Amino acid sequence: MHYAILGPLHLVVDGEPRSMRSRNLAIILATLLVKAGHIVTVDDLIGEVWAQPPQRARDAIYVHISKLRQQLGDTSQSDVIWSQFPGYLMRLHGEQLDLQSFHRHRIDGHRSMVNGDYKSAARDWKAGLSLCRGTLLGGAYSGPILGSFDSWVQQSRADCVELTAWSQLSAGLCHEVIDFLSLHLTRYPLNEILYQQLMLAFFLSRHRAQSLRVFQRACQVLSDEVGISPGGDLRTVQDIILSDDLGRAKRVIASAVASRVSSLRSSGELRREPSSVD
């Protein structure tokens, strides 16, 4: 059995892909997967499924759980979804969930960056990003558990993009940075750090004109979308390019990486088990 929740819900049962056509069943399964290893109360499930719960909502949850067990081939009612007062608990065996794999790649990337292995760090984060297929459940959810989880995924995904680019720049892989950020800037058009990284990549590749065009693009997008001018970091990189100061550009990269490494060391991320769902 394998589950994928970093986008539309996918599951594979006995080697066969299965669709989850019922919105309510998909929300319940996604909630149990997000909280795998922990009890999810019936009230929590009600809050995830309905903004305005119907009468007999608790009875409806019991029926949905029964249907979900049938779809998962859980005939014993204990192999996959356990009844645990005051709700239910989902147990995973090994790395059955794409979220677990995403955690593993993230944390492996963090550890590689802290150890100065920038190429390995970039590979790990890119592997994690490849698991992110879109919006959780296609956006068909409204509850606080899944809403909070989706916000965490989107922020973690953006962090992985930034960290990948910093690691590639540190490893001297400027052309890879250009290709990588050209793709991801379409998803994060207001992220000034990505513009800063792309400017540095073009500059260190000795394409000063393209680097300055990235700055002009950032100015245009930020003005059009949110009515602001670029921040100090972008203007610092513009000044570096205009003065053709390669040494200063490399120091900016080194400083940014050192700041990220310090943040990772103090965050507790490096002490987590890579397979943890939490």
Side-chain angles (χ1 to χ4, degrees):
M1 179 84 72
H2 184 265
Y3 308 92
I5 60 173
L6 298 174
L9 181 64
H10 290 169
L11 58 154
V12 177
V13 181
D14 296 329
E16 295 293 329
R18 292 192 183 180
S19 60
M20 188 66 64
R21 296 180 181 178
S22 165
R23 171 192 174 272
N24 291 356
L25 292 188
I27 288 175
I28 290 171
L29 178 57
T31 304
L32 292 172
L33 287 168
V34 166
K35 303 294 287 185
H38 301 275
I39 296 172
V40 181
T41 70
V42 173
D43 287 339
D44 283 339
L45 291 174
I46 290 171
E48 294 300 307
V49 174
W50 297 286
Q52 295 183 327
Q55 292 184 355
R56 303 178 65 91
R58 298 181 71 85
D59 291 340
I61 292 294
Y62 301 146
V63 172
H64 288 324
I65 290 290
S66 178
K67 290 181 178 179
L68 188 56
R69 282 170 166 158
Q70 291 174 13
Q71 289 202 26
L72 299 180
D74 187 2
T75 56
S76 69
Q77 297 191 1
S78 63
D79 290 341
V80 180
I81 301 174
W82 291 41
S83 295
Q84 294 279 337
F85 182 82
Y88 300 94
L89 178 148
M90 190 157 196
R91 294 191 182 275
L92 298 175
H93 305 284
E95 200 165 277
Q96 292 182 279
L97 179 62
D98 61 349
L99 176 59
Q100 293 171 297
S101 301
F102 181 69
H103 271 302
R104 173 169 55 81
H105 289 307
R106 283 181 62 249
I107 295 173
D108 286 348
H110 295 350
R111 290 171 177 165
S112 292
M113 184 183 220
V114 167
N115 292 329
D117 187 353
Y118 301 121
K119 289 184 179 179
S120 293
R123 282 196 297 269
D124 286 322
W125 288 316
K126 289 177 76 174
L129 287 168
S130 71
L131 298 171
C132 300
R133 298 170 290 106
T135 305
L136 174 67
L137 296 179
Y141 67 89
S142 58
I145 294 175
L146 294 183
S148 176
F149 169 72
D150 194 37
S151 295
W152 176 86
V153 170
Q154 298 310 318
Q155 183 58 57
S156 296
R157 185 175 181 177
D159 288 344
C160 284
V161 172
E162 293 176 14
L163 289 167
T164 297
W166 284 129
S167 288
Q168 289 175 326
L169 285 168
S170 295
L173 304 174
C174 294
H175 291 291
E176 290 190 21
V177 176
I178 292 168
D179 291 340
F180 177 74
L181 290 182
S182 295
L183 173 65
H184 285 283
L185 261 171
T186 60
R187 183 177 181 86
Y188 304 106
L190 301 180
N191 188 321
E192 292 191 42
I193 292 175
L194 303 191
Y195 289 111
Q196 177 190 5
Q197 293 169 327
L198 187 55
M199 289 171 67
L200 288 166
F202 274 123
F203 176 60
L204 292 174
S205 300
R206 307 312 290 150
H207 297 296
R208 295 177 66 202
Q210 282 107 321
S211 186
L212 291 172
R213 280 197 286 271
V214 172
F215 178 77
Q216 292 168 355
R217 174 186 169 191
C219 291
Q220 188 67 52
V221 171
L222 292 170
S223 176
D224 290 347
E225 296 296 327
V226 288
I228 62 173
S229 300
D233 289 340
L234 269 178
R235 295 196 178 278
T236 294
V237 175
Q238 181 198 30
D239 182 62
I240 289 171
I241 296 162
L242 292 173
S243 60
D244 199 22
D245 192 338
L246 286 171
R248 190 178 171 199
K250 293 176 180 178
R251 289 193 295 274
V252 165
I253 295 169
S255 176
V257 170
S259 175
R260 290 304 186 101
V261 167
S262 176
S263 177
L264 290 172
R265 282 176 169 157
S266 63
S267 69
E269 285 277 349
L270 302 177
R271 294 188 292 274
R272 292 189 182 183
E273 287 296 325
S275 60
S276 172
V277 176
D278 294 328

